[in-house]
Amino acid sequence: METSALPQQLAEIVDDFQALSEPDRLQLLLEFSRGLPPLPERLTDHPELLEQVVECQSPLFLTLDIADDAEKSVSLFFSAPQEAPTTRGFAGVLREGLDGLPAAQILAVPDDVPERLGLTRAITPLRMRGMAAMLGRIKRKIRESGAA
Amino acid sequence: MSVATDSNEKFAQYAHPERLVSTQWLADNLGTPGLVIVESDEDVLLYETGHIEGAVKVDWHTDLNDDVTRDYVDGEGFARLMSAKGISRDSTIVIYGDKSNWWAAYALWVFSLFGHEDVRLLDGGRDKWIAEGRSLTTDVPRPETTQYPVVERDDAPIRAYLTDVLGHFGNPLIDVRSADEYTGARTHMPAYPEEGALRGGHIPSAVSVPWARAAADDGTFRTRGELDAIYRGEAGLNEGDDVVAYCRIGERSSHTWFVLQHLLGFENVRNYDGSWTEWGNVVRVPIVKGSEPGVAPVPARQR
């Protein structure tokens, strides 16, 4: 699988998924679901600062901060209920794969990254679209901010 | 061997009380020989986060659908699935799931296409079990495979195709989608845009009864009296009616099919699983927009 175009931290996740059998890929997604950190307090107190990704089958809210540094480093924040482990898993992958990266590097991430996790058969294309929508929303918010 | 039914008073009011079990009944019957518990959720990973002890997982998308044709698995595929899940032809199956048993009802309907006789729903589903503080486990059972027979699917009694619906006009149709989907303001359910259609609205003469009206706040089915008021009262269904229910892909209408067939005792109820993702994309079929059911066209001759 061609992963050279991906940022290192995201490429490693894709490689991890690719190295596993299909049932183990689901288990890994579940681990990402469990590992999704809770929102910082300033956001739990202000849900209006989050944006809903309506393409996800379960409620998923996200927002991001862009640092005032030379690289315009991006911090990502996600919120999804415990009853939606697949959605949380997708969010967990994107957070670990993209958090802290320069804005320009996130914008350069190919849109087909969700398909590279090798989950499409087990999860179904329908469900995978939620993850693509999250990535699309992140990129749009970066573009709107004028950071890159 | 069938496992004894739940003699719960609420269930006794329904036409087929044997189709439901309570969370207490299930807790009392865990491990009973002949009983297989099946979890069927919308979220493909929810079972893995914890499930009722001994429950096996059946995924509506990857297990029950054919992966090429838009259809369900065939008799051989179903027999393979049942065997792998440790289910015999005479097993008592109790299905439960998330979202008021929406997907569990869908699985039950598909199991019924193969004539599996004793298949029941857990009233209130996964959420009620958890709300009552009952235990979950992440241990995945490894059931012994069974010799489930290859039974050909018998669609006609409970499944309607597009041509059946075109020939059904003049008989009751129930649209179980949200109000905005019914009027045509939306071509998909809120939050499910990928399952869209090129046209919005409803099948002419279909009355709107969103599926979730059959569920109480705790996800259990409403009582017999409440359900009669909704379906016989408001929706105007009469004894002996031939009814077709539909939604977007046939899952929400499976829930309504269960209510009409098993709880209210209508004997001729079919689920049109092609639903709006078929009807709303078919060239030249009649459609009505807005909140009124509209007039039924002359029925097409059935093939």
Side-chain angles (χ1 to χ4, degrees):
Chain A
M1 186 61 63
E2 181 57 53
T3 53
S4 57
L6 301 182
Q8 179 67 19
Q9 65 196 65
L10 184 58
E12 281 170 17
I13 296 173
V14 171
D15 287 344
D16 286 347
F17 272 96
Q18 288 293 337
L20 295 171
S21 67
E22 205 168 71
D24 287 341
R25 286 175 190 166
L26 287 178
Q27 281 302 318
L28 182 57
L29 189 65
L30 190 59
E31 280 169 36
F32 275 103
S33 159
R34 293 187 176 124
L36 183 68
L39 289 176
E41 213 166 283
R42 65 181 175 83
L43 287 175
T44 49
D45 294 345
H46 292 280
E48 74 279 3
L49 296 175
L50 297 162
E51 186 172 333
Q52 181 167 12
V53 180
V54 294
E55 289 88 345
C56 294
Q57 290 197 334
S58 301
L60 180 281
F61 296 85
L62 65 82
T63 192
L64 51 83
D65 281 346
I66 299 173
D68 198 14
D69 57 10
E71 294 195 308
K72 306 281 182 196
S73 311
V74 178
S75 303
L76 294 168
F77 306 95
F78 297 90
S79 168
Q82 296 290 343
E83 304 80 56
T86 304
T87 299
R88 287 180 63 88
F90 292 156
V93 167
L94 289 176
R95 185 171 192 283
E96 198 167 315
L98 302 177
D99 191 53
L101 291 178
Q105 215 177 339
I106 294 180
L107 287 180
V109 168
D111 291 331
D112 70 347
V113 159
E115 289 158 41
R116 300 195 197 182
L117 298 175
L119 285 165
T120 307
R121 207 208 67 86
I123 299 273
T124 75
L126 201 89
R127 289 159 165 157
M128 291 306 297
R129 280 184 217 171
M131 186 174 182
M134 282 183 219
L135 178 60
R137 194 64 61 105
I138 291 165
K139 289 187 181 183
R140 201 199 75 210
K141 284 181 85 74
I142 292 173
R143 278 191 207 101
E144 285 174 358
S145 76
Chain B
M1 260 291 283
S2 243
V3 178
T5 55
D6 187 343
S7 56
N8 185 312
E9 258 178 52
K10 172 192 163 194
F11 301 163
Q13 304 300 312
Y14 297 132
H16 296 284
E18 73 280 6
R19 291 293 176 177
L20 283 177
V21 302
S22 61
T23 47
Q24 186 59 49
W25 182 97
L26 190 58
D28 293 341
N29 280 277
L30 291 179
T32 300
L35 173 67
V36 181
I37 307 169
V38 171
E39 176 161 341
S40 208
D41 299 314
E42 175 171 76
D43 192 302
V44 72
L45 280 181
L46 198 52
Y47 170 89
E48 280 77 5
T49 66
H51 49 264
I52 296 176
E53 186 190 330
V56 293
K57 167 186 173 180
V58 170
D59 184 60
W60 63 281
H61 217 310
T62 57
D63 289 327
L64 298 177
N65 280 277
D66 185 278
D67 52 10
V68 180
T69 309
R70 182 175 171 188
D71 198 1
Y72 301 102
V73 291
D74 61 10
E76 283 177 12
F78 188 71
R80 267 198 305 277
L81 175 68
M82 293 296 96
S83 171
K85 302 297 175 186
I87 297 171
S88 301
R89 189 67 175 164
D90 61 355
S91 295
T92 293
I93 304 174
V94 171
I95 311 183
Y96 73 98
D98 58 355
K99 303 196 169 179
S100 303
N101 277 330
W102 164 359
W103 302 94
Y106 187 46
L108 184 144
W109 177 75
V110 175
F111 283 28
S112 303
L113 293 173
F114 295 94
H116 190 99
E117 195 174 316
D118 190 357
V119 52
R120 315 177 189 180
L121 283 185
L122 173 66
D123 196 27
R126 180 183 167 94
D127 289 345
K128 183 158 192 280
W129 182 272
I130 292 172
E132 291 169 349
R134 301 181 190 272
S135 66
L136 298 178
T137 178
T138 52
D139 294 340
V140 176
R142 304 253 173 261
E144 277 187 43
T145 58
T146 63
Q147 296 291 320
Y148 198 93
V150 174
V151 181
E152 284 317 311
R153 231 178 45 221
D154 183 12
D155 289 345
I158 60 170
R159 184 181 185 195
Y161 302 144
L162 177 71
T163 47
D164 297 328
V165 179
L166 289 166
H168 181 82
F169 287 123
N171 292 295
L173 274 157
I174 308 267
D175 184 316
V176 313
R177 298 172 300 158
S178 57
D180 278 354
E181 292 170 275
Y182 180 81
T183 59
R186 284 178 176 275
T187 51
H188 58 78
M189 190 166 35
Y192 294 70
E194 64 274 28
E195 292 178 11
L198 292 174
R199 288 290 183 271
H202 56 268
I203 300 177
S205 78
V207 295
S208 169
V209 186
W211 72 282
R213 293 197 57 203
D217 291 342
D218 64 356
T220 56
F221 288 103
R222 292 198 178 280
T223 62
R224 176 69 190 256
E226 291 168 334
L227 293 176
D228 274 333
I230 294 170
Y231 295 97
R232 291 180 205 268
E234 290 175 41
L237 296 183
N238 292 304
E239 210 59 51
D241 274 350
D242 177 1
V243 189
V244 168
Y246 71 94
C247 56
R248 170 184 52 108
I249 57 169
E251 17 57 273
R252 284 175 285 176
S253 43
S254 295
H255 191 273
T256 299
W257 168 84
F258 182 88
V259 169
L260 296 176
Q261 175 114 6
H262 291 316
L263 304 187
L264 298 184
F266 288 92
E267 287 173 10
N268 297 303
V269 187
R270 285 174 294 167
N271 179 24
Y272 168 40
D273 60 282
S275 280
W276 200 256
T277 52
E278 180 173 52
W279 196 276
N281 287 311
V282 171
V283 176
R284 302 186 73 219
V285 296
I287 288 174
V288 171
K289 285 182 94 77
S291 56
E292 292 303 315
V295 178
V298 176
R301 264 183 65 188
Q302 289 200 273
R303 287 181 191 174

